Amino acid sequence: MSDPLPRTDRPTRAETEEAIRTLLRWAGEDPTREGLHDTPARVARAYEEFFQGYEIDPKTLLERTFSEVDGYDEIVLLRDIRFESHCEHHLAPIIGRAHVAYLPRKRVVGISKLARVVDAYARRMQIQERLTAQIANTINDVLQPHGTAVIIESSHECMTTRGVHRPGVSMVTSQMLGTFRTNSDTRRELMAMLNRPAASEY
């Protein structure tokens, strides 16, 4: 994905709100009526929240690592990271869960940072395949572990609320790098960890 547009190249807030009024008129509404009077401003603020990932460099989130792990060199897995994204084809929501794992070489990273990397890429216009690869490649490039694995399962409202209208359908993608790709035993261990009960069930 190309870098975000510089702030100086983006429309002003006034231009953005006027574009939203145009969409409202195109849909058949009157943007001046009471119920829609503040909608352009609300939508602009919502877009700032939906797409705040463009303001974040995910690699900087992983810069601080810890080496005092007493020789720990097994899988680190953060699972069930809920995320919200938007399909770049229809701007419809993508709601899902990401499972992120890595096999540390010597250093580990704070687990909240893994969730923040997921959010930084999810809060952009996306397709799930690219989202999966971006998360895995960034963790792999910055932490340089023995291996990285990312598995994403999500529901796409561009499929459930329009087009073929197929609610209940989920999409699963995965990216395996390093040991997770080359060693079937390590991959099986990861799958076994994913199939264990959630912490709330203990």
Side-chain angles (χ1 to χ4, degrees):
M1 178 183 288
S2 59
D3 292 333
L5 287 173
R7 272 289 173 199
T8 54
D9 292 342
R10 299 187 196 181
T12 65
R13 175 58 70 92
E15 291 170 332
T16 300
E17 292 183 12
E18 186 56 39
I20 296 163
R21 291 187 189 93
T22 299
L23 284 173
L24 291 172
R25 290 195 299 271
W26 181 86
E29 267 290 358
D30 175 9
T32 65
R33 72 175 175 85
E34 183 180 4
L36 293 174
H37 185 267
D38 294 327
T39 295
R42 292 190 185 106
V43 172
R45 289 195 299 271
Y47 265 46
E48 287 178 333
E49 184 176 345
F50 292 157
F51 303 117
Q52 62 183 317
Y54 290 113
E55 305 297 328
I56 301 170
D57 179 357
K59 291 186 176 180
T60 63
L61 298 171
L62 301 172
E63 288 179 346
R64 185 182 181 192
T65 59
F66 306 94
S67 59
E68 295 180 359
V69 294
D70 286 343
Y72 183 86
D73 59 358
E74 299 294 333
I75 295 172
V76 175
L77 168 64
L78 192 62
R79 67 183 191 179
D80 295 322
I81 307 168
R82 188 183 185 279
F83 70 86
E84 302 161 3
S85 190
H86 284 78
C87 157
E88 68 179 30
H89 301 138
H90 302 97
L91 297 186
I94 302 170
I95 308 296
R97 297 177 302 156
H99 313 293
V100 177
Y102 69 101
L103 195 58
R105 198 172 291 275
K106 290 183 179 179
R107 304 181 68 85
V108 298
V109 68
I111 58 174
S112 67
K113 301 302 189 294
L114 298 176
R116 291 180 185 276
V117 169
V118 172
D119 266 348
Y121 283 119
R123 291 184 179 274
R124 302 180 182 194
M125 297 177 192
Q126 281 289 8
I127 62 171
Q128 185 171 324
E129 297 90 338
R130 182 175 63 222
L131 174 62
T132 307
Q134 286 177 327
I135 296 167
N137 290 334
T138 296
I139 293 169
N140 208 59
D141 291 347
V142 177
L143 299 185
Q144 298 187 342
H146 291 292
T148 304
V150 175
I151 300 170
I152 291 179
E153 179 178 1
S154 69
S155 172
H156 292 241
E157 291 195 15
C158 60
M159 182 176 179
T160 63
T161 63
R162 59 159 300 282
V164 295
H165 289 277
R166 291 294 185 272
V169 174
S170 62
M171 179 177 177
V172 180
T173 51
S174 67
Q175 179 87 355
M176 304 283 172
L177 302 174
T179 303
F180 289 108
R181 178 183 285 271
T182 60
N183 190 313
S184 58
D185 290 338
T186 304
R187 199 160 54 250
R188 276 194 294 271
E189 182 182 355
L190 172 64
M191 294 300 110
M193 293 172 72
L194 285 171
N195 289 327
R196 290 174 188 163
S200 60
E201 299 175 27
Y202 291 138

